[in-house]
């Protein structure tokens, strides 16, 4: 009841906010504000909802897909995001010396996993960032734009829109009554939609019901796919190797929506408790010591990859080798037989779209 009352109070503000964003989009749509199509093939990954739709796993999926492509060569792929939460400004290419404070936690995660295959970049002014990237690295053949669906100054060749299965945009409202960054009709700019964090056994009838709810906001031919999350084996902070038979864990997370992760860890690893922090939380040494000191006897600490890169920087080499700290890799996993169709769509779209 309280939630209904709060939504009713904020709904007029949501309508006003939505209209302001509509006007901004109208300016871009009518070329009254400039929108630049990059000279290099570009893919935007984004959402309508604030946080928590699986953008980073999708970016990693694209990295793996295109890096294995026959037409890609070494260092020809780049990722670009604004670097949310960093304390620096301007265009920056990740190096081994960077931290979450200098490039942001998610770019740092990607750099530590794929730094030898891709060039990880940050820059809040993305048109300028792409120009600088191509000036210094003209061999770049693909730029993956992370969290760029509302960044209208760049007109990507392919726009991928993600929607959380449990937080569909068609049931939501713009801020502050809801969690949408713009009104639902913004989905019409998507070239493809992926419904993320789905149960892997999602029935075909339920998929069709969701498609029918999405379709009023998209083009009639816009492909819609369904995917879940696949968690890997926990990895040791000390050895960077997967471990088996991990039990009695204290889960530590700083995510926009940690519920799917909590449900999985509770079932798979005997979760003792879950210490939650805000999304993109900047951990301190005191936070780490509190987590370790207050954990139940015999338990270990399990966290996410995004949180690992920040917590790991707080450790000495000796602490890293002796303290029971692990992180849980996660990847996007398409529902049965949909991955091949999605990959075929990516290939066809790139062939049809001239950079």
């Amino acid at each position: 009841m309280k939630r209904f009352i709060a939504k009713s109070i904020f709904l007029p503000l949501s309508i006003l906010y939505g209209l302001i964003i509509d006007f901004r989009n109208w300016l871009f749509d009518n070329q009254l504000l400039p929108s630049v199509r990059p000279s290099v093939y570009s893919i935007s990954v984004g959402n309508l909802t604030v946080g928590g739709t699986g953008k980073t796993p999708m970016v990693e999926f694209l990295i793996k897909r295109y890096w294995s492509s026959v037409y890609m060569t070494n260092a020809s792929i780049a990722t670009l995001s604004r670097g949310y939460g960093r304390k620096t400004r301007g265009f920056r290419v990740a190096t081994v010396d960077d931290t979450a404070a200098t490039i942001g936690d998610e770019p740092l995660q990607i750099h530590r996993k794929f730094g030898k295959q891709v060039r990880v970049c940050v820059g809040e002014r993305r048109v300028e960032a792409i120009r600088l990237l191509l000036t210094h690295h003209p061999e770049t053949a693909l730029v993956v734009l992370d969290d760029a669906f509302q960044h209208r100054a760049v007109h990507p060749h392919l726009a991928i829109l993600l929607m959380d299965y449990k937080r569909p945009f068609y049931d939501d409202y713009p801020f502050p009554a809801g969690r949408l960054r713009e009104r639902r009709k913004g989905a019409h700019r998507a070239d493809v939609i992926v419904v993320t964090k789905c149960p892997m056994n999602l029935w075909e009838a339920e998929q069709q019901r969701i498609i029918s709810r999405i379709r009023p906001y998209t083009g009639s031919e816009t492909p819609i796919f369904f995917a879940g999350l696949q968690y890997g084996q926990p990895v040791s902070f000390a050895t960077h190797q997967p471990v088996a038979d991990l039990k009695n864990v204290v889960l530590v997370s700083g995510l926009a929506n940690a519920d799917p992760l909590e449900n999985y860890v509770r079932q798979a690893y005997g979760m003792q408790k879950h210490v939650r922090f805000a999304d993109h939380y900047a951990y301190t040494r005191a936070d780490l010591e509190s987590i370790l000191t207050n954990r139940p006897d015999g338990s270990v600490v399990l966290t996410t990859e995004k949180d690992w890169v920040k917590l790991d920087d707080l450790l000495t080499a000796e602490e890293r080798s002796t303290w029971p700290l692990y992180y849980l890799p996660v990847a996007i996993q398409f529902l049965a037989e949909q991955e091949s169709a999605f990959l075929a769509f990516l290939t066809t779209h790139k062939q049809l779209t001239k950079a």
Side-chain angles (χ1 to χ4, degrees), residues 15 30 37 43 45 56 63 76 78 98 110 122 138 142 152 169 214 228 239 260-261 273 280 303-304 331 341 347:
I15 294 172
N30 289 275
R37 173 66 64 93
I43 301 176
V45 177
T56 300
I63 289 172
S76 62
D98 275 301
I110 292 172
V122 295
L142 168 68
R152 299 295 308 278
F169 66 76
I214 293 173
T239 65
L261 173 65
K273 66 177 181 177
H280 299 287
T303 191
T304 70
T347 299

Side-chain angles (χ1 to χ4, degrees), residues 21-226:
I21 301 302
D22 281 352
F23 179 65
R24 175 180 180 269
N25 284 328
W26 181 86
L27 292 174
F28 279 108
D29 293 340
N30 289 275
Q31 300 180 344
L32 298 174
L33 287 177
S35 184
V36 177
R37 173 66 64 93
S39 60
V40 62
Y41 190 73
S42 54
I43 301 176
S44 165
V45 177
N47 52 24
L48 295 183
T49 308
V50 176
T53 56
K55 292 187 295 293
T56 300
M58 175 56 75
V59 169
E60 294 186 356
F61 177 92
L62 294 171
I63 289 172
K64 294 174 184 177
R65 181 263 183 272
Y66 283 102
W67 176 248
S68 64
S69 299
V70 295
Y71 50 80
M72 286 297 175
T73 57
N74 190 36
S76 62
I77 303 175
T79 66
L80 174 62
S81 70
R82 61 174 171 159
Y84 185 86
R86 65 184 175 127
K87 297 180 180 179
T88 59
R89 294 189 62 81
F91 177 68
R92 191 180 184 96
V93 179
T95 70
V96 294
D97 297 321
D98 275 301
T99 67
T102 59
I103 61 172
D105 49 14
E106 289 164 340
L108 181 61
Q109 173 187 327
I110 292 172
H111 178 64
R112 290 195 176 178
K113 291 179 72 173
F114 301 103
K116 294 181 179 180
Q117 289 82 33
V118 302
R119 188 167 282 112
V120 177
C121 310
V122 295
E124 59 274 16
R125 299 170 63 89
R126 298 189 211 198
V127 172
E128 178 183 357
I130 293 172
R131 180 183 61 79
L132 290 171
L133 168 65
L134 296 180
T135 297
H136 295 293
H137 302 284
E139 73 278 10
T140 303
L142 168 68
V143 178
V144 180
L145 304 165
D146 186 11
D147 196 14
F149 195 74
Q150 284 76 35
H151 194 88
R152 299 295 308 278
V154 176
H155 182 197
H157 296 81
L158 174 65
I160 301 175
L161 179 65
L162 307 182
M163 185 190 86
D164 187 332
Y165 165 72
K166 290 191 174 181
R167 294 192 299 172
F169 66 76
Y170 52 71
D171 283 337
D172 208 347
Y173 298 90
F175 179 85
R179 296 178 58 87
L180 297 187
R181 298 174 172 185
E182 59 179 300
R183 293 208 290 174
R184 303 167 189 175
K185 65 179 183 179
H188 79 275
R189 299 196 307 276
D191 295 301
V192 58
I193 293 177
V194 180
V195 183
T196 60
K197 301 186 180 180
C198 298
M200 296 309 297
N201 60 351
L202 187 65
W203 289 4
E204 177 67 25
E206 176 65 1
Q207 294 180 41
Q208 292 303 316
R209 185 193 70 81
I210 293 171
I211 290 174
S212 70
R213 296 292 307 278
I214 293 173
R215 190 58 73 195
Y217 306 103
T218 70
S220 60
E221 303 300 321
T222 303
I224 300 174
F225 297 94
F226 293 82

Side-chain angles (χ1 to χ4, degrees), residues 274-317:
H274 185 182
V275 184
R276 290 182 181 237
F277 293 89
D279 194 20
H280 299 287
Y281 182 76
Y283 293 95
T284 66
R285 176 71 187 197
D287 293 326
L288 178 59
E289 292 177 354
S290 175
I291 291 166
L292 290 164
T293 301
N294 295 314
R295 76 184 196 277
D297 292 342
S299 64
V300 302
V301 173
L302 180 66
T303 191
T304 70
E305 286 183 283
K306 185 169 78 169
D307 297 303
W308 157 59
V309 297
K310 291 177 286 190
L311 291 169
D312 188 67
D313 284 344
L314 301 174
L315 299 168
T316 66

Side-chain angles (χ1 to χ4, degrees), residues 7-22 173-178 183:
K7 182 175 289 187
S8 299
I9 293 172
F10 287 124
L11 196 55
L13 294 176
S14 290
I15 294 172
L16 177 61
Y17 175 82
L19 291 173
I20 292 172
I21 301 302
D22 281 352
Y173 298 90
F175 179 85
R183 293 208 290 174

